[in-house]
Amino acid sequence: MYSFCRLSRFSRNAGFTLLELLVVLVILGLLAGYVAPKYFAQVGKSEVKTAKAQIDALEKALDQYRIDTSRYPSTEQGLAALNTKPADEARWDGPYLKKAVPNDPWGKPYQYLAPGEHGEIDLFSYGRDGVPGGTGNDADINNW
């Protein structure tokens, strides 16, 4: 009988109560609610940085195209002229990119205008929302 009472007393004190488990879950929920927005804000910043870096690389490739051909590709030729020789371009010495022209970090093609409205060429992405304008991660990213 003595051993049974001793076992019973031990098992009664072992483990956690429902209240203790709920307190731990509430604390974990509060921590996740605090950390998650900060983490996802950083993801958005990295996409913007990636878009800026890609625009810079495309602009350098376009400059190399211009050095070889004495002009930028037309809007109609677009960024595809960096990898594929246009039919009317005798001095093309490409390809000017090692890989195909990338889409922006949100999966949409970069916009290209030549002549541009802000300079010789305009190269831009409409951001996460894919429409002109916006703020934050939805803001346009461009080369001017």
Side-chain angles (χ1 to χ4, degrees):
M1 176 97 176
Y2 175 72
S3 63
F4 175 73
C5 289
R6 190 170 168 193
L7 179 63
S8 173
R9 213 175 325 149
F10 175 74
S11 65
R12 198 173 8 156
N13 293 332
F16 299 102
T17 66
L18 182 59
L19 181 61
E20 290 169 330
L21 289 174
L22 288 174
V23 168
V24 169
L25 288 174
V26 167
I27 291 171
L28 288 174
L30 290 172
L31 286 173
Y34 178 74
V35 172
K38 293 187 180 294
Y39 171 75
F40 289 114
Q42 295 302 319
V43 170
K45 286 180 185 176
S46 68
E47 289 171 334
V48 170
K49 287 180 183 179
T50 299
K52 287 179 180 179
Q54 286 178 332
I55 286 174
D56 185 54
L58 290 170
E59 193 170 24
K60 288 177 181 170
L62 287 163
D63 287 340
Q64 186 62 46
Y65 180 101
R66 184 175 151 248
I67 288 169
D68 290 346
T69 63
S70 301
R71 64 182 186 84
Y72 287 110
S74 67
T75 301
E76 293 76 28
Q77 291 170 324
L79 297 174
L82 296 174
N83 284 334
T84 306
K85 180 180 178 181
D88 60 343
E89 197 58 68
R91 298 187 319 186
W92 189 86
D93 193 27
Y96 298 96
L97 295 172
K98 291 181 181 180
K99 297 179 180 177
V101 176
N103 285 332
D104 68 15
W106 302 278
K108 298 173 187 79
Y110 284 102
Q111 305 298 311
Y112 172 72
L113 298 174
E117 297 172 1
H118 302 278
E120 287 186 81
I121 59 168
D122 289 353
L123 187 56
F124 56 97
S125 165
Y126 286 127
R128 182 179 63 187
D129 62 357
V131 296
T135 59
N137 292 335
D138 294 334
D140 299 347
I141 299 126
N142 54 53
N143 69 330
W144 61 87

